[in-house]
Amino acid sequence: MKSRNWVRFFLSTLIVGGVATSIVGFILRWSEYEKLFLSFNIVEIVAVLFWLIGVGFIFSIISQMGFFAYLTVHRFGLGIFRSVSLWNSVQILLIIFVLFDLVYFRYQFFAQTGDSIVPYILVAVVILLFSAVIAYFKQKQTNKDAFVPALFFMVVVSVIEWMPALRVNDRDWLYLMLFPILICNAYQLLILPKMTNDSPKAKKS
């Protein structure tokens, strides 16, 4: 990737993170922020917006660090296992392991007596379904071998990046971080080929 494209990649992902976090933040606490809009309290609205954008920038940077770390891990995985099918099998096992841990350990550590496990399962299902959709588009964009790596990145790396909020286990922070992370990761995954295909031949294909 050329330095110019890398800067575009970094800044565009930063903007995606800021916008996504702002939207999610206002939705999560609309009952509080609605009063600001109804009273036309522009100063407070702008202050909240800038705070959410700043938090979104942090989420975006975490997402980008995870993305480039995964690109390195993916190359190491292909080199170690020397077979795409074998490396994909390992990634599928890790996806299952991470999703199981996400449900089981969250429920064990944070569930109160009598709480249902269903909400914990639903979070994992949402992550998996969203990731599968993005992996499908990635496969259509490149080739069939891209599905499993894309799914692995969207599930495993996203959950790892989500760990700071998971430890706090505050509902608002959980969702405020999760959705921007997923959106930033999906954006990076799908936009990368457009940033790296600079040749006229690649542009025509």
Short mmCIF file of all heavy atoms in Angstrom, two decimals, residues 137-166:
data_model
loop_
_atom_site.label_atom_id
_atom_site.label_comp_id
_atom_site.label_asym_id
_atom_site.label_seq_id
_atom_site.Cartn_x
_atom_site.Cartn_y
_atom_site.Cartn_z
N PHE A 137 -19.69 -10.90 1.70
CA PHE A 137 -19.37 -9.83 0.75
C PHE A 137 -17.88 -9.80 0.43
O PHE A 137 -17.48 -9.51 -0.70
CB PHE A 137 -19.82 -8.48 1.31
CG PHE A 137 -21.29 -8.24 1.17
CD1 PHE A 137 -22.11 -8.18 2.29
CD2 PHE A 137 -21.88 -8.08 -0.08
CE1 PHE A 137 -23.47 -7.97 2.17
CE2 PHE A 137 -23.25 -7.86 -0.21
CZ PHE A 137 -24.05 -7.81 0.92
N LYS A 138 -17.07 -10.13 1.43
CA LYS A 138 -15.62 -10.21 1.19
C LYS A 138 -15.30 -11.33 0.22
O LYS A 138 -14.45 -11.18 -0.67
CB LYS A 138 -14.89 -10.44 2.52
CG LYS A 138 -13.37 -10.47 2.40
CD LYS A 138 -12.82 -9.13 1.95
CE LYS A 138 -11.30 -9.16 1.89
NZ LYS A 138 -10.74 -7.86 1.45
N GLN A 139 -15.98 -12.45 0.38
CA GLN A 139 -15.80 -13.59 -0.53
C GLN A 139 -16.20 -13.20 -1.95
O GLN A 139 -15.50 -13.52 -2.91
CB GLN A 139 -16.62 -14.76 -0.05
CG GLN A 139 -16.60 -15.97 -0.98
CD GLN A 139 -17.53 -17.08 -0.50
OE1 GLN A 139 -17.75 -17.23 0.69
NE2 GLN A 139 -18.07 -17.83 -1.43
N LYS A 140 -17.33 -12.52 -2.10
CA LYS A 140 -17.78 -12.08 -3.41
C LYS A 140 -16.82 -11.07 -4.03
O LYS A 140 -16.64 -11.03 -5.24
CB LYS A 140 -19.17 -11.45 -3.30
CG LYS A 140 -20.26 -12.40 -2.81
CD LYS A 140 -20.64 -13.44 -3.84
CE LYS A 140 -21.43 -12.81 -4.96
NZ LYS A 140 -21.92 -13.83 -5.95
N GLN A 141 -16.21 -10.28 -3.17
CA GLN A 141 -15.29 -9.24 -3.62
C GLN A 141 -13.96 -9.82 -4.09
O GLN A 141 -13.34 -9.29 -5.01
CB GLN A 141 -15.04 -8.26 -2.46
CG GLN A 141 -14.21 -7.04 -2.80
CD GLN A 141 -13.92 -6.21 -1.57
OE1 GLN A 141 -13.40 -6.71 -0.57
NE2 GLN A 141 -14.26 -4.94 -1.63
N THR A 142 -13.52 -10.92 -3.45
CA THR A 142 -12.21 -11.51 -3.78
C THR A 142 -12.36 -12.94 -4.30
O THR A 142 -12.50 -13.15 -5.49
CB THR A 142 -11.30 -11.47 -2.55
OG1 THR A 142 -11.98 -12.07 -1.43
CG2 THR A 142 -10.92 -10.04 -2.19
N ASN A 143 -12.34 -13.91 -3.41
CA ASN A 143 -12.49 -15.32 -3.81
C ASN A 143 -13.04 -16.12 -2.65
O ASN A 143 -13.17 -15.63 -1.53
CB ASN A 143 -11.14 -15.90 -4.27
CG ASN A 143 -10.07 -15.76 -3.19
OD1 ASN A 143 -10.13 -16.44 -2.15
ND2 ASN A 143 -9.10 -14.87 -3.41
N LYS A 144 -13.39 -17.38 -2.93
CA LYS A 144 -14.06 -18.22 -1.92
C LYS A 144 -13.19 -18.51 -0.70
O LYS A 144 -13.70 -18.78 0.39
CB LYS A 144 -14.50 -19.55 -2.55
CG LYS A 144 -13.34 -20.39 -3.07
CD LYS A 144 -13.86 -21.69 -3.68
CE LYS A 144 -12.69 -22.57 -4.16
NZ LYS A 144 -13.17 -23.84 -4.73
N ASP A 145 -11.85 -18.45 -0.88
CA ASP A 145 -10.96 -18.71 0.26
C ASP A 145 -10.94 -17.57 1.27
O ASP A 145 -10.35 -17.71 2.35
CB ASP A 145 -9.53 -18.95 -0.25
CG ASP A 145 -9.41 -20.25 -1.04
OD1 ASP A 145 -10.17 -21.19 -0.73
OD2 ASP A 145 -8.57 -20.32 -1.96
N ALA A 146 -11.56 -16.45 0.93
CA ALA A 146 -11.52 -15.29 1.82
C ALA A 146 -12.60 -15.34 2.90
O ALA A 146 -12.55 -14.57 3.86
CB ALA A 146 -11.69 -14.00 1.01
N PHE A 147 -13.56 -16.25 2.77
CA PHE A 147 -14.69 -16.25 3.71
C PHE A 147 -14.26 -16.54 5.14
O PHE A 147 -14.58 -15.78 6.06
CB PHE A 147 -15.75 -17.27 3.27
CG PHE A 147 -16.96 -17.28 4.16
CD1 PHE A 147 -18.00 -16.38 3.94
CD2 PHE A 147 -17.07 -18.17 5.23
CE1 PHE A 147 -19.13 -16.37 4.77
CE2 PHE A 147 -18.19 -18.16 6.06
CZ PHE A 147 -19.21 -17.26 5.82
N VAL A 148 -13.54 -17.62 5.35
CA VAL A 148 -13.16 -18.02 6.71
C VAL A 148 -12.23 -17.00 7.36
O VAL A 148 -12.46 -16.61 8.52
CB VAL A 148 -12.55 -19.43 6.73
CG1 VAL A 148 -11.99 -19.77 8.12
CG2 VAL A 148 -13.59 -20.47 6.33
N PRO A 149 -11.17 -16.54 6.67
CA PRO A 149 -10.32 -15.51 7.29
C PRO A 149 -11.11 -14.25 7.66
O PRO A 149 -10.87 -13.65 8.71
CB PRO A 149 -9.27 -15.22 6.21
CG PRO A 149 -9.20 -16.46 5.41
CD PRO A 149 -10.60 -16.99 5.39
N ALA A 150 -12.03 -13.85 6.76
CA ALA A 150 -12.84 -12.66 7.05
C ALA A 150 -13.74 -12.90 8.25
O ALA A 150 -13.90 -12.02 9.11
CB ALA A 150 -13.68 -12.30 5.82
N LEU A 151 -14.34 -14.07 8.33
CA LEU A 151 -15.19 -14.42 9.47
C LEU A 151 -14.37 -14.45 10.76
O LEU A 151 -14.82 -13.95 11.81
CB LEU A 151 -15.85 -15.78 9.24
CG LEU A 151 -16.90 -16.20 10.28
CD1 LEU A 151 -18.10 -15.27 10.23
CD2 LEU A 151 -17.33 -17.65 10.03
N PHE A 152 -13.18 -15.01 10.68
CA PHE A 152 -12.29 -15.07 11.84
C PHE A 152 -11.95 -13.67 12.33
O PHE A 152 -12.03 -13.37 13.53
CB PHE A 152 -11.00 -15.82 11.47
CG PHE A 152 -9.99 -15.87 12.59
CD1 PHE A 152 -10.02 -16.90 13.51
CD2 PHE A 152 -9.01 -14.90 12.71
CE1 PHE A 152 -9.08 -16.96 14.55
CE2 PHE A 152 -8.07 -14.94 13.73
CZ PHE A 152 -8.12 -15.98 14.65
N PHE A 153 -11.59 -12.80 11.40
CA PHE A 153 -11.25 -11.43 11.78
C PHE A 153 -12.44 -10.72 12.41
O PHE A 153 -12.31 -10.08 13.46
CB PHE A 153 -10.77 -10.65 10.55
CG PHE A 153 -10.64 -9.17 10.80
CD1 PHE A 153 -9.64 -8.68 11.63
CD2 PHE A 153 -11.52 -8.27 10.22
CE1 PHE A 153 -9.53 -7.32 11.88
CE2 PHE A 153 -11.41 -6.91 10.46
CZ PHE A 153 -10.41 -6.43 11.28
N MET A 154 -13.61 -10.85 11.78
CA MET A 154 -14.77 -10.14 12.27
C MET A 154 -15.24 -10.66 13.63
O MET A 154 -15.75 -9.88 14.45
CB MET A 154 -15.92 -10.26 11.26
CG MET A 154 -15.73 -9.44 9.99
SD MET A 154 -15.58 -7.66 10.29
CE MET A 154 -17.12 -7.33 11.14
N VAL A 155 -15.06 -11.94 13.90
CA VAL A 155 -15.52 -12.50 15.17
C VAL A 155 -14.42 -12.42 16.23
O VAL A 155 -14.57 -11.75 17.26
CB VAL A 155 -15.98 -13.96 15.00
CG1 VAL A 155 -16.29 -14.59 16.38
CG2 VAL A 155 -17.22 -14.04 14.12
N VAL A 156 -13.32 -13.11 15.98
CA VAL A 156 -12.27 -13.26 17.00
C VAL A 156 -11.59 -11.93 17.31
O VAL A 156 -11.46 -11.53 18.48
CB VAL A 156 -11.24 -14.31 16.56
CG1 VAL A 156 -10.10 -14.40 17.58
CG2 VAL A 156 -11.90 -15.67 16.39
N VAL A 157 -11.14 -11.24 16.28
CA VAL A 157 -10.42 -9.98 16.51
C VAL A 157 -11.35 -8.92 17.10
O VAL A 157 -10.96 -8.16 17.99
CB VAL A 157 -9.77 -9.48 15.21
CG1 VAL A 157 -9.06 -8.14 15.44
CG2 VAL A 157 -8.76 -10.51 14.69
N SER A 158 -12.60 -8.89 16.64
CA SER A 158 -13.55 -7.92 17.18
C SER A 158 -13.79 -8.15 18.67
O SER A 158 -13.86 -7.19 19.46
CB SER A 158 -14.88 -7.99 16.42
OG SER A 158 -14.74 -7.57 15.10
N VAL A 159 -13.91 -9.41 19.07
CA VAL A 159 -14.13 -9.73 20.49
C VAL A 159 -12.91 -9.34 21.32
O VAL A 159 -13.04 -8.79 22.43
CB VAL A 159 -14.46 -11.22 20.67
CG1 VAL A 159 -14.46 -11.60 22.16
CG2 VAL A 159 -15.82 -11.54 20.07
N ILE A 160 -11.72 -9.59 20.79
CA ILE A 160 -10.49 -9.20 21.49
C ILE A 160 -10.43 -7.68 21.66
O ILE A 160 -10.09 -7.16 22.72
CB ILE A 160 -9.25 -9.71 20.75
CG1 ILE A 160 -9.19 -11.24 20.80
CG2 ILE A 160 -7.97 -9.11 21.34
CD1 ILE A 160 -8.11 -11.86 19.95
N GLU A 161 -10.76 -6.96 20.59
CA GLU A 161 -10.76 -5.49 20.65
C GLU A 161 -11.82 -4.97 21.61
O GLU A 161 -11.70 -3.87 22.17
CB GLU A 161 -11.01 -4.92 19.26
CG GLU A 161 -9.88 -5.19 18.28
CD GLU A 161 -10.26 -4.90 16.83
OE1 GLU A 161 -11.46 -4.66 16.56
OE2 GLU A 161 -9.36 -4.90 15.98
N TRP A 162 -12.86 -5.75 21.82
CA TRP A 162 -13.99 -5.38 22.68
C TRP A 162 -13.72 -5.63 24.16
O TRP A 162 -14.51 -5.26 25.02
CB TRP A 162 -15.20 -6.19 22.21
CG TRP A 162 -16.53 -5.76 22.72
CD1 TRP A 162 -16.94 -4.49 23.07
CD2 TRP A 162 -17.67 -6.61 22.96
NE1 TRP A 162 -18.25 -4.50 23.48
CE2 TRP A 162 -18.72 -5.79 23.42
CE3 TRP A 162 -17.90 -7.98 22.79
CZ2 TRP A 162 -19.98 -6.30 23.73
CZ3 TRP A 162 -19.14 -8.49 23.09
CH2 TRP A 162 -20.17 -7.65 23.56
N MET A 163 -12.58 -6.25 24.48
CA MET A 163 -12.28 -6.67 25.84
C MET A 163 -12.36 -5.56 26.89
O MET A 163 -12.86 -5.80 27.99
CB MET A 163 -10.89 -7.33 25.88
CG MET A 163 -10.85 -8.74 25.34
SD MET A 163 -11.96 -9.87 26.21
CE MET A 163 -11.22 -9.86 27.84
N PRO A 164 -11.88 -4.32 26.61
CA PRO A 164 -11.99 -3.28 27.65
C PRO A 164 -13.42 -3.07 28.13
O PRO A 164 -13.66 -2.92 29.33
CB PRO A 164 -11.45 -2.03 26.93
CG PRO A 164 -10.51 -2.57 25.90
CD PRO A 164 -11.14 -3.84 25.44
N ALA A 165 -14.38 -3.05 27.21
CA ALA A 165 -15.79 -2.88 27.59
C ALA A 165 -16.34 -4.15 28.25
O ALA A 165 -17.17 -4.07 29.16
CB ALA A 165 -16.63 -2.53 26.37
N LEU A 166 -15.87 -5.32 27.82
CA LEU A 166 -16.33 -6.58 28.41
C LEU A 166 -15.95 -6.66 29.88
O LEU A 166 -16.70 -7.18 30.70
CB LEU A 166 -15.74 -7.78 27.65
CG LEU A 166 -16.34 -8.07 26.28
CD1 LEU A 166 -15.54 -9.16 25.57
CD2 LEU A 166 -17.81 -8.49 26.40
#
